[in-house]
Amino acid sequence: MIKITLKDGSAKEYNKGITIKQVAESISAGLARVALAGEVDGKVKDLSYELNEDCKLSLLTFDDDGGRHAYRHTASHIMAQAVKNLYPNVKLAIGPAIDNGYYYDFDVDKPFSVEELAQIEEEMKKIVKEDLKLERFTLPRDEAMKFMEEKGEPYKVELIRDLPEGEIISFYKQGEFVDLCAGPHVESTGKIKAFKLLSVAGAYWRGNEKNKMLQRIYGTAFAKKSDLDDYLFRLEEAKKRDHRKLGKELDLFDIYEEGPGFPFFMPKGMVLRNLLENYWREEHQARGYQEIKTPIILSEELWHRSGHWDHYKENMYFTKIDEGDYAIKPMNCPGGMLAYKRKLHSYRDLPQRMAELGLVHRHELSGALHGLMRVRCFTQDDAHIFMTPEQIKDEVLGVINLIDDFYSVFGFKYHVELSTRPEDSMGSAEQWDMATNALKEALEANKMKYKINEGDGAFYGPKIDFHLEDSIGRTWQCGTIQLDFQMPQKFDLNYVGADGEKHRPVMVHRVVFGSIERFIAILTEHFAGAFPVWLSPVQVKVLPLIDKHHQFAGEVKEALAAKGIRVEVDFRNEKIGYKIREAQLEKTPYMLVIGDKELENRAVAVRSRKDGDLGSMALNDFINRIVEEVESKAK
């Protein structure tokens, strides 16, 4: 007999060799129907997996990450089978599940058309209807290579060849279709209820631009058609909100072919950007941060010292100055180290909170560039906090509260992930354990729910990542808190303790916006360009009906501008309906119409972007209204 501990903490005894599916059936027929996979001691397995030892078991449905992953991974195999059925000469590459869906890469003679995607989708429906069982089998490495060679799948052969000698290779079979795969998968193709192929794009084999360009088909799958429909609706909504489109239409920002990945900000975009940066400065000054500015170009030796050379040089730009080798900074950290090291510090000086809006440059492949979301130069709202070990918990809590305050101003919900030590890391296991536990303690002291993201920490320390959720349910990783024992050591940073001896400070790297450019893109899409009044580049448009109303319109503008309101007057000889429609397209929060009645009463007819026609209002009453909205940062 073996003891199986379930997710709710209860334990049951079963005979050895029982499958995960049989455990689900022993609990309830309903659970067995919706179970897609099982998590055994932290590892996701097929429902057919046999249990032969005491273990912890969680039964996974589509609501669980592991269940969703197995479901969508199976959908990718169904898509690959459909493609092979329709185009037998296509070569298969890889087809994983990803956030919100899946993809598969194919080596084909010509790109897939929209019409061909529709045909592939119809073929997938046939495969689902056949309800083919997914069966796992294994082969020794050499036999596995021979098996894939016989099937004419060179990309699979390459993947197997790169695995260690003696490795046992797993495959999954559904009907006549077989694919190299580690799994897990759902029981049969009939389990996949609702799916859609979304798009096709080029993708280099293994992400290397020196390799062949393959065709990547993206798709998504859900357990319910209604959920798929909701997702497709959100995708359409996202297209309308695309910040690249809105950035041009609202004359905020753009990227030109003369500078791929290097954004231009127009006057209205600079208003938005400066408002965000000013808010950032005010909040940081109030919390005891000191602002610094470090150079964009620093010597190559510095990047060797910091460790970035070994871990990040592929993403860096380089130059020569006076025969010396220099690098354009991809991060602000080393400059922050030099700023701290400029003088001797006492323990009484700590914590030292140094903040910087630092312009950094990173080499990104052209195919990865995406508006302001993925660029080659951007401004990080960095801060480096130097502290004693005893101050770690309080300082991390302070940053958590700062980030929470920032995001609540913009109306963002968020979730938190704690990322642990990656394979490519610096420092001892003891240091990493200490740093990771310190971050856990801070999160738990703040009663924050968090998810562990194994192996995704920075190369110098663990981190807490904040993932924003926007108005249509998408998530974006923005804020981060990284605890670092390595950089102070590499730069020989010290402070004099109460004992009169030199000690090594601990350091926190953190950002709130993450990147000003990316945050502006997220805000633009979150609000669909209709920014809150306090952030709107133009807050009020004054719309006089005819020439005799122009003088009072100018007086209204002066009265608003005197209170710091950003205001424009439309003096053009156009019909009022045209002026209103144009102001609406520009997403202006308030339109003030001035006609004979308003001129006579020294009033304004107010139209709100949010609330519609508000009727006539005394000018001072309107000014008080909008000033209060701006000062409260109303959403």
Side-chain angles (χ1 to χ4, degrees):
M1 299 291 284
I2 58 171
K3 185 171 80 171
I4 297 176
T5 305
L6 299 172
K7 192 175 183 179
D8 63 2
S10 63
K12 295 189 176 188
E13 290 194 342
Y14 294 92
N15 291 323
K16 282 187 177 183
I18 191 169
T19 66
I20 295 173
K21 177 67 177 287
Q22 288 168 335
V23 173
E25 289 170 339
S26 76
I27 297 170
S28 83
L31 177 59
R33 274 196 305 274
V34 296
L36 299 172
E39 187 177 289
V40 182
D41 292 333
K43 294 183 178 179
V44 181
K45 302 289 185 180
D46 302 327
L47 288 177
S48 60
Y49 182 76
E50 294 184 357
L51 305 168
N52 290 298
E53 296 178 352
D54 293 353
C55 63
K56 291 181 179 178
L57 172 65
S58 293
L59 294 161
L60 305 177
T61 70
F62 193 82
D63 292 331
D64 302 294
D65 289 346
R68 220 166 24 251
H69 184 278
Y71 188 92
R72 287 170 170 164
H73 196 178
T74 303
S76 80
H77 277 224
I78 293 171
M79 177 170 70
Q81 183 180 4
V83 169
K84 286 293 275 187
N85 287 352
L86 294 170
Y87 311 98
N89 294 327
V90 161
K91 306 302 179 192
L92 302 175
I94 58 170
I98 55 174
D99 287 346
N100 295 321
Y102 55 90
Y103 69 78
Y104 211 111
D105 289 346
F106 302 97
D107 185 351
V108 287
D109 293 332
K110 63 182 183 65
F112 292 108
S113 66
V114 174
E115 292 76 18
E116 284 173 312
L117 287 191
Q119 292 167 11
I120 294 166
E121 205 172 284
E122 286 304 312
E123 186 67 20
M124 289 174 69
K125 289 176 183 176
K126 294 177 187 175
I127 295 166
V128 167
K129 193 172 182 180
E130 289 179 58
D131 195 21
L132 303 171
K133 185 178 179 182
L134 275 93
E135 300 172 279
R136 183 178 184 272
F137 67 93
T138 60
L139 292 172
R141 181 175 174 272
D142 289 345
E143 287 184 36
M145 278 185 24
K146 185 179 178 185
F147 181 61
M148 283 288 105
E149 282 170 355
E150 289 172 353
K151 285 192 165 291
E153 298 291 356
Y155 297 100
K156 303 294 184 182
V157 172
E158 183 180 327
L159 290 171
I160 298 168
R161 187 183 296 120
D162 289 349
L163 294 171
E165 292 279 354
E167 188 91 358
I168 298 297
I169 313 299
S170 66
F171 296 84
Y172 280 81
K173 180 178 185 293
Q174 58 201 53
E176 297 301 312
F177 178 75
V178 179
D179 202 355
L180 170 72
C181 185
H185 286 281
V186 302
E187 291 178 285
S188 69
T189 61
K191 287 280 187 182
I192 308 305
K193 303 298 182 188
F195 57 89
K196 182 72 179 172
L197 299 187
L198 301 172
S199 62
V200 63
Y204 292 112
W205 168 236
R206 292 188 149 182
N208 187 335
E209 60 187 336
K210 294 178 182 175
N211 290 337
K212 186 171 184 179
M213 175 74 79
L214 307 178
Q215 288 294 297
R216 174 173 295 177
I217 300 178
Y218 287 96
T220 192
F222 287 84
K224 298 176 185 174
K225 186 178 184 302
S226 59
D227 290 339
L228 174 63
D229 290 342
D230 287 346
Y231 179 73
L232 295 176
F233 171 79
R234 291 198 303 273
L235 282 183
E236 286 304 309
E237 186 65 22
K239 289 178 186 175
K240 296 176 195 172
R241 293 166 178 260
D242 190 322
H243 72 280
R244 295 167 297 180
K245 171 176 169 284
L246 289 170
K248 289 180 182 178
E249 289 175 358
L250 302 177
D251 199 25
L252 300 172
F253 45 77
D254 206 350
I255 296 177
Y256 300 115
E257 62 182 27
E258 290 85 351
F262 300 98
F264 283 68
F265 278 83
M266 308 311 166
K268 288 181 180 177
M270 283 305 298
V271 171
L272 174 60
R273 184 184 180 114
N274 288 334
L275 287 164
L276 291 171
E277 292 187 1
N278 291 341
Y279 172 60
W280 182 91
R281 286 193 169 96
E282 289 166 11
E283 291 300 309
H284 282 74
Q285 286 169 7
R287 288 168 166 85
Y289 286 81
Q290 297 174 306
E291 188 173 358
I292 62 171
K293 195 78 173 171
T294 63
I296 290 175
I297 298 176
L298 292 163
S299 73
E300 187 182 292
E301 180 278 328
L302 180 73
W303 305 100
H304 284 279
R305 203 188 329 164
S306 70
H308 288 90
W309 184 267
D310 295 327
H311 299 269
Y312 210 77
K313 66 182 174 188
E314 293 80 9
N315 296 90
M316 295 171 66
Y317 295 109
F318 302 94
T319 188
K320 272 193 176 292
I321 303 174
D322 297 334
E323 304 304 315
D325 294 318
Y326 287 78
I328 301 169
K329 69 177 179 182
M331 296 178 185
N332 298 307
C333 327
M337 304 305 104
L338 298 181
Y340 175 86
K341 199 173 179 178
R342 74 192 188 279
K343 63 181 182 180
L344 188 63
H345 298 276
S346 161
Y347 71 97
R348 293 188 182 90
D349 302 328
L350 303 183
Q352 285 260 319
R353 305 184 189 107
M354 294 183 180
E356 176 175 15
L357 290 168
L359 181 64
V360 299
H361 289 72
R362 297 181 185 178
H363 176 59
E364 299 282 359
L365 296 175
S366 58
L369 299 175
H370 179 76
L372 298 185
M373 296 289 190
R374 197 75 178 264
V375 290
R376 286 172 169 155
C377 75
F378 56 93
T379 299
Q380 275 194 317
D381 64 313
D382 258 321
H384 299 102
I385 306 173
F386 304 89
M387 69 199 83
T388 68
E390 296 76 22
Q391 294 169 330
I392 293 174
K393 183 176 171 183
D394 285 344
E395 286 304 303
V396 172
L397 277 171
V399 177
I400 289 172
N401 291 332
L402 169 65
I403 291 174
D404 184 69
D405 288 348
F406 261 75
Y407 294 168
S408 63
V409 162
F410 301 102
F412 286 121
K413 294 185 289 184
Y414 62 85
H415 73 268
V416 174
E417 293 183 3
L418 174 61
S419 298
T420 59
R421 187 179 189 178
E423 289 183 16
D424 181 24
S425 63
M426 301 189 310
S428 67
E430 183 183 1
Q431 286 175 320
W432 274 86
D433 288 344
M434 188 188 306
T436 305
N437 289 334
L439 293 182
K440 281 182 181 177
E441 286 173 14
L443 287 168
E444 286 160 10
N446 215 34
K447 296 183 171 58
M448 295 188 81
K449 291 181 181 177
Y450 64 93
K451 175 180 156 188
I452 299 287
N453 193 359
E454 295 287 356
D456 200 40
F459 66 84
Y460 47 74
K463 59 177 181 165
I464 298 170
D465 288 328
F466 293 77
H467 297 259
L468 304 185
E469 182 181 326
D470 69 14
S471 59
I472 57 172
R474 298 171 301 179
T475 56
W476 309 94
Q477 195 272 304
C478 289
T480 187
I481 305 171
Q482 302 172 356
L483 193 54
D484 187 355
F485 288 85
Q486 311 303 326
M487 207 73 78
Q489 187 173 324
K490 284 186 166 291
F491 281 85
D492 192 26
L493 304 185
N494 298 290
Y495 67 90
V496 177
D499 58 2
E501 299 295 323
K502 285 187 176 181
H503 298 268
R504 190 81 69 203
V506 180
M507 191 179 80
V508 160
H509 309 247
R510 46 109 297 198
V511 293
V512 181
F513 291 139
S515 141
I516 297 289
E517 288 77 5
R518 188 165 178 267
F519 196 80
I520 287 172
I522 293 167
L523 277 183
T524 302
E525 297 194 0
H526 177 64
F527 291 114
F531 300 105
V533 176
W534 75 278
L535 278 178
S536 292
V538 176
Q539 295 165 317
V540 177
K541 269 285 184 84
V542 183
L543 309 176
L545 289 176
I546 54 176
D547 290 356
K548 74 173 182 177
H549 305 132
H550 284 188
Q551 183 177 338
F552 181 51
E555 292 172 17
V556 169
K557 177 183 178 182
E558 288 177 10
L560 286 164
K563 293 293 185 179
I565 303 303
R566 296 181 293 280
V567 55
E568 292 180 352
V569 182
D570 189 341
F571 288 118
R572 293 175 304 166
N573 185 25
E574 298 284 357
K575 291 182 178 178
I576 192 64
Y578 178 85
K579 291 183 179 182
I580 289 171
R581 280 194 301 276
E582 196 163 87
Q584 287 172 332
L585 288 173
E586 292 170 358
K587 303 188 186 287
T588 310
Y590 285 104
M591 290 149 275
L592 305 183
V593 178
I594 296 174
D596 290 344
K597 184 180 173 184
E598 288 72 34
L599 180 60
E600 182 183 342
N601 297 322
R602 309 292 288 177
V604 287
V606 182
R607 294 180 67 91
S608 164
R609 180 185 65 198
K610 186 167 67 173
D611 302 319
D613 190 353
L614 299 179
S616 187
M617 194 179 293
L619 179 57
N620 283 341
D621 289 345
F622 173 74
I623 289 174
N624 291 337
R625 175 192 174 111
I626 192 170
V627 166
E628 196 279 327
E629 270 192 75
V630 171
E631 290 179 350
S632 67
K633 294 184 169 60
K635 293 183 278 292

